[in-house]
Amino acid sequence: MRRKIKRVLIANRGEIALRIVRACKEMNIETIQVYSEADLNSIPVSFSDMAVCIGPPSPSQSYLNISQIMVAATLLGADAIHPGYGFLSENATFSTICSDYNIKFIGPSSVSLAKCANKATVRKFAVESNVPVLPGTEAPIKDVEEAIRIADNIGYPILLKAAMGGGGRGIRMVENKEQLKEYLPIVQRESFTSFGSDEIYIEKFLKNPRHIEVQIFGDGKGNVIHLGVRECSIQRKHQKIIEEAPTCGLSQNKEKELLESAVRLCKNLKYENAGTCEFIVDENEKFYFLEINTRIQVEHPITEETTGTDIVKMQLYVAENEELPIKQEQVHQKGWAMEFRIVAEDPYTYIPSAGKIEFVHFPSGRGIRIDSHIYSGYNMPSFYDSLLGKIIVKGDTRQECLSIAKRALEECTIEGVKTNIPLLLNVLKHPEFIAGRINTGFLEKYILPKKKIKE
Ligand code: ADP
Ligand code: ADP
Ligand code: MG
């Protein structure tokens, strides 16, 4: 069924809201930007065609407030809602409510969302699709006795992971039985507070893997394509800060195997719209499925830069036509791209640094793309994510990318708040990073001060 999307409501904020406004403008689609009281003076609000305040700064009263968002959508005649990332983007109930109102949710069907939401049960689908997973549980654990039995079976260290978790939160390493007894109730409590669910599952801990993921697109009827791989091993607190596409961590054959695994899994799920299959990979190139992120990803630009696609426009196209705009044979990953997440925080203690951006000058010139919503005089609210923007660089080779990245980060000037730019530059200058020998333990091993940092 073809439905015309003429007006899209954007249920998000910050750089991703601006990214969506831009794609809609280029497609001649009108935008409705909903915003909280803290975001009145934001660029997505001023650049969109219409804007409606939906509540106070706290996310639960604004960007997570489904009834307020639906009131705005129906009163202003939205044909579709783009949820961005975070907030309601992976919420199956929200997607169902949208379809009850005959408003297209730009993302997977509520059935797909529900299948992928629980990170324990989605492992079962991976196993059924012949996609390798680490030893662990395919259902949330019932009690501490069961957890001990499973951990004894798998062997320590293990990870306790929040089944509904995301953004790197709700993950805890456990090295022995005593720790398991102590940490399980803590992780359950934290998970409940952050994600509204205390379901925890167990996964074998893999020491210093690479994180490699596959961008996929489905039409909801079983046709699925991939847009290549992304390497996201430079992480702090299990959250990515530098990503690159493609990766130097896989041989051609292994990369092909990984891509095929992701496509196979998503075909079995009859996956609709954009998604990401995340994997971790050991030093022998053995890969294990982690989870599917059922939304646009923060690091989508590096895929766009290496495949010549526009993922947000593709999302809108799939939502409108229920078919894929391109065939697998038309996808070629070319050149190299890197993304640097610029965040407002102390680079070494991770303490957030909200406040007024007194002055900002972003780098420009050949090979540079900036996705950011900040401007000189902008007040960075403290209620949300600390992302100030993303610097994306593109070169013919990884080496060229590295040289553009270095001068880009050196050109970048942000005054008024602390940023992680010094840390990013330290990574860029490190011989192991330059050589492409990276894994998720890189930052801790080579860049961060040796003292233990409190979570
Ligand atoms: P990506 O996987 O796209 O690289 P991140 O993991 O950095 O993205 O998350 C992007 C944003 O979405 C962050 O603000 C993060 O806190 C938020 N987020 C991701 N998953 C969840 C979730 N399950 N619940 C709440 N917020 C989430
Ligand atoms: P989230 O939903 O928060 O994104 P993920 O399951 O995707 O959580 O894991 C986030 C990161 O945590 C991974 O990229 C990796 O660095 C680390 N991680 C997750 N599971 C494991 C594991 N089993 N062994 C080692 N590291 C892991
Ligand atoms: Mg993840």
Side-chain angles (χ1 to χ4, degrees), residues 119 166-168 211 238 240 278 290-291 293 295 297:
K119 291 168 65 185
H211 172 120
H238 307 300
K240 306 150 187 168
E278 296 191 329
L290 277 187
E291 62 160 342
N293 287 329
R295 55 172 160 87
Q297 203 98 350

Short mmCIF file of all heavy atoms in Angstrom, two decimals, residues 119 166-168 211 238 240 278 290-291 293 295 297, ligand 3:
data_model
loop_
_atom_site.label_atom_id
_atom_site.label_comp_id
_atom_site.label_asym_id
_atom_site.label_seq_id
_atom_site.Cartn_x
_atom_site.Cartn_y
_atom_site.Cartn_z
N LYS A 119 16.68 -8.03 24.75
CA LYS A 119 17.98 -8.46 24.22
C LYS A 119 18.28 -9.93 24.54
O LYS A 119 19.14 -10.53 23.90
CB LYS A 119 19.09 -7.55 24.77
CG LYS A 119 19.01 -6.14 24.21
CD LYS A 119 19.90 -5.18 24.95
CE LYS A 119 21.36 -5.50 24.80
NZ LYS A 119 22.21 -4.61 25.62
N GLY A 166 20.10 -0.20 26.96
CA GLY A 166 20.62 0.46 25.77
C GLY A 166 21.53 1.60 26.17
O GLY A 166 21.66 1.92 27.36
N GLY A 167 22.21 2.18 25.17
CA GLY A 167 23.09 3.32 25.44
C GLY A 167 24.27 2.96 26.34
O GLY A 167 24.86 3.82 26.99
N GLY A 168 24.60 1.65 26.39
CA GLY A 168 25.75 1.21 27.18
C GLY A 168 25.47 1.07 28.67
O GLY A 168 26.34 0.70 29.45
N HIS A 211 33.98 -4.15 18.35
CA HIS A 211 32.54 -4.04 18.11
C HIS A 211 32.37 -3.71 16.63
O HIS A 211 32.86 -2.68 16.17
CB HIS A 211 31.94 -2.93 18.99
CG HIS A 211 30.50 -2.61 18.67
ND1 HIS A 211 29.48 -2.73 19.58
CD2 HIS A 211 29.92 -2.18 17.53
CE1 HIS A 211 28.33 -2.39 19.00
NE2 HIS A 211 28.58 -2.05 17.76
N HIS A 238 30.99 1.58 27.70
CA HIS A 238 30.24 0.76 26.74
C HIS A 238 29.50 1.59 25.69
O HIS A 238 28.59 1.11 25.04
CB HIS A 238 29.23 -0.18 27.42
CG HIS A 238 29.83 -1.04 28.48
ND1 HIS A 238 30.84 -1.93 28.22
CD2 HIS A 238 29.58 -1.14 29.80
CE1 HIS A 238 31.17 -2.54 29.34
NE2 HIS A 238 30.44 -2.08 30.31
N LYS A 240 29.85 4.17 22.31
CA LYS A 240 30.79 4.52 21.25
C LYS A 240 31.15 6.01 21.28
O LYS A 240 30.28 6.84 21.54
CB LYS A 240 30.13 4.22 19.90
CG LYS A 240 29.63 2.79 19.80
CD LYS A 240 28.42 2.68 18.88
CE LYS A 240 27.84 1.28 18.94
NZ LYS A 240 26.52 1.18 18.30
N GLU A 278 24.32 -5.63 15.75
CA GLU A 278 25.60 -5.42 16.42
C GLU A 278 26.25 -6.77 16.77
O GLU A 278 25.58 -7.69 17.21
CB GLU A 278 25.41 -4.61 17.70
CG GLU A 278 24.91 -3.20 17.44
CD GLU A 278 24.96 -2.31 18.67
OE1 GLU A 278 24.81 -2.82 19.80
OE2 GLU A 278 25.16 -1.10 18.51
N LEU A 290 25.23 -9.49 19.18
CA LEU A 290 24.88 -8.83 20.45
C LEU A 290 23.42 -8.44 20.52
O LEU A 290 22.70 -8.81 21.43
CB LEU A 290 25.69 -7.55 20.63
CG LEU A 290 27.10 -7.58 21.19
CD1 LEU A 290 27.58 -6.15 21.42
CD2 LEU A 290 27.17 -8.36 22.49
N GLU A 291 22.98 -7.63 19.54
CA GLU A 291 21.60 -7.13 19.59
C GLU A 291 21.26 -6.46 18.27
O GLU A 291 22.14 -6.21 17.44
CB GLU A 291 21.44 -6.10 20.73
CG GLU A 291 22.33 -4.87 20.55
CD GLU A 291 21.86 -3.66 21.36
OE1 GLU A 291 20.69 -3.62 21.79
OE2 GLU A 291 22.66 -2.74 21.52
N ASN A 293 19.57 -2.98 16.94
CA ASN A 293 19.03 -1.67 17.28
C ASN A 293 18.01 -1.30 16.22
O ASN A 293 18.33 -1.17 15.05
CB ASN A 293 20.14 -0.61 17.34
CG ASN A 293 20.99 -0.78 18.59
OD1 ASN A 293 20.49 -1.22 19.63
ND2 ASN A 293 22.26 -0.47 18.50
N ARG A 295 16.33 1.16 14.95
CA ARG A 295 16.18 2.61 14.77
C ARG A 295 17.34 3.13 13.95
O ARG A 295 18.27 2.40 13.65
CB ARG A 295 16.22 3.27 16.14
CG ARG A 295 17.50 2.88 16.88
CD ARG A 295 17.69 3.65 18.17
NE ARG A 295 18.60 3.01 19.07
CZ ARG A 295 19.91 3.17 19.09
NH1 ARG A 295 20.48 3.96 18.20
NH2 ARG A 295 20.67 2.55 19.96
N GLN A 297 20.76 4.96 13.73
CA GLN A 297 21.85 4.91 14.69
C GLN A 297 22.60 6.24 14.71
O GLN A 297 22.67 6.92 13.68
CB GLN A 297 22.79 3.80 14.23
CG GLN A 297 23.64 3.22 15.29
CD GLN A 297 23.09 1.94 15.87
OE1 GLN A 297 21.95 1.57 15.60
NE2 GLN A 297 23.86 1.26 16.66
MG MG B 3 24.40 -1.92 21.55
#
